[in-house]
Structure formats: C-alpha cells, structure tokens
Amino acid sequence: MLSDLRFTIDVDIFIPFHDCDPMGIVWHGNYLRYFEVAREQLLNQFDYGYRQMLDSGYVWPVVDVKVKYRRSARFEQIVSVHATVAEYENRLKINYVISDKNTGEKLTAGYTIQVAVDQKNNEMLFVSPDILFARMGIQK
C-alpha cells in the first residue's frame, strides 16, 4: 500500500543566502526546515495536513529526529528533498533524502517521528487514530 504515489514526494528548494553561514554553507539546523517543507506537502497529498490534523482533534508533535549529514548544501544550490511515509500504524515516521537537484548527489538523510496526541485530554495515543488510516485509504 505504501507504494501509492501519495505517500512520497520530491520538493525542490533553492538555497537562499539567509540559510547559510558566511562561507555560503547551509547552517545545520536549516535541514530540519527543509524536512518540514517536504513533510507538509507530503501530508497534504493525502488530505491530512496540519489544518486537517487539528480539525480531526489531534496534534502530531515531532518526538524524534535523526539527521545524517554527508555533504554540505551551499548558497544558490537547488536541492531536492525526497520524503516518504515509512510507518503509520503506531506513529508517523517519514524518511527524507536531500540531494543535489542537478547531480543527484546525496547530501543529507534522516527521518522524523510524530505521534498523535488527543486534544481533548492531551494524552498520547499508542496506535494512530482512525482518521489517519481513513485519509490514507487504508483499512484497519
């Protein structure tokens, strides 16, 4: 089921000057922003973006992040962020690979893990809520 094209996305980002240090190298924390841009577009593909999450009664905080830096992205470089839903039953894990758009060289890889928290009682769920499965078109 996760082979469905709605569960993967490629987003191109032009590296602006304000994301870089004085040497023109992307500051390490900005890679998480690039993950976020891709994650938001990925979730919107199956109609469960952040507005829909809130409307459904759940918030989905990021509880774990891993970033593996291989090569630096640089000022004016165009990078492609590939994001894929890797897990969804008990948590939402999204894998990322950031590559140079022109050469395909892998620059950074990582993942984020989000868990559902019920807005009514502020309790974390240990199984993803039915609304996620419904939006993904997956029968439990």
Side-chain angles (χ1 to χ4, degrees):
M1 180 62 176
L2 290 182
S3 61
D4 186 319
L5 292 177
R6 295 175 307 136
F7 306 133
T8 188
I9 196 166
D10 290 292
V11 177
D12 293 341
I13 297 174
F14 177 83
I15 304 295
F17 178 75
H18 63 262
D19 281 2
C20 301
D21 64 20
M23 296 173 287
I25 296 172
V26 171
W27 177 69
H28 69 277
N30 283 321
Y31 293 89
L32 294 174
R33 287 192 318 105
Y34 306 153
F35 286 3
E36 173 67 22
V37 169
R39 181 171 62 243
E40 184 175 12
Q41 289 189 35
L42 176 62
L43 295 171
N44 285 333
Q45 283 191 155
F46 52 91
D47 198 32
Y48 201 55
Y50 293 123
R51 295 241 183 255
Q52 291 84 5
M53 286 177 174
L54 286 171
D55 291 345
S56 73
Y58 300 97
V59 293
W60 289 77
V62 173
V63 296
D64 192 12
V65 175
K66 177 174 171 87
V67 183
K68 175 67 175 173
Y69 303 99
R70 295 180 177 158
R71 293 231 184 251
S72 299
R74 298 181 178 273
F75 173 54
E76 295 184 329
Q77 185 174 20
I78 300 172
V79 297
S80 181
V81 184
H82 180 79
T84 305
V85 175
E87 297 177 27
Y88 59 88
E89 287 124 341
N90 301 312
R91 59 193 189 166
L92 189 56
K93 181 178 181 185
I94 300 176
N95 291 335
Y96 308 88
V97 175
I98 299 177
S99 303
D100 180 278
K101 173 73 174 172
N102 297 318
T103 67
E105 179 183 24
K106 291 181 183 176
L107 306 173
T108 305
Y111 64 78
T112 56
I113 295 175
Q114 295 170 259
V115 294
V117 175
D118 190 325
Q119 290 185 69
K120 293 178 199 158
N121 56 22
N122 208 30
E123 289 186 18
M124 183 176 75
L125 285 82
F126 293 100
V127 175
S128 294
D130 291 341
I131 186 67
L132 176 64
F133 292 92
R135 294 294 170 97
M136 293 178 78
I138 296 172
Q139 303 239 342
K140 279 176 76 172

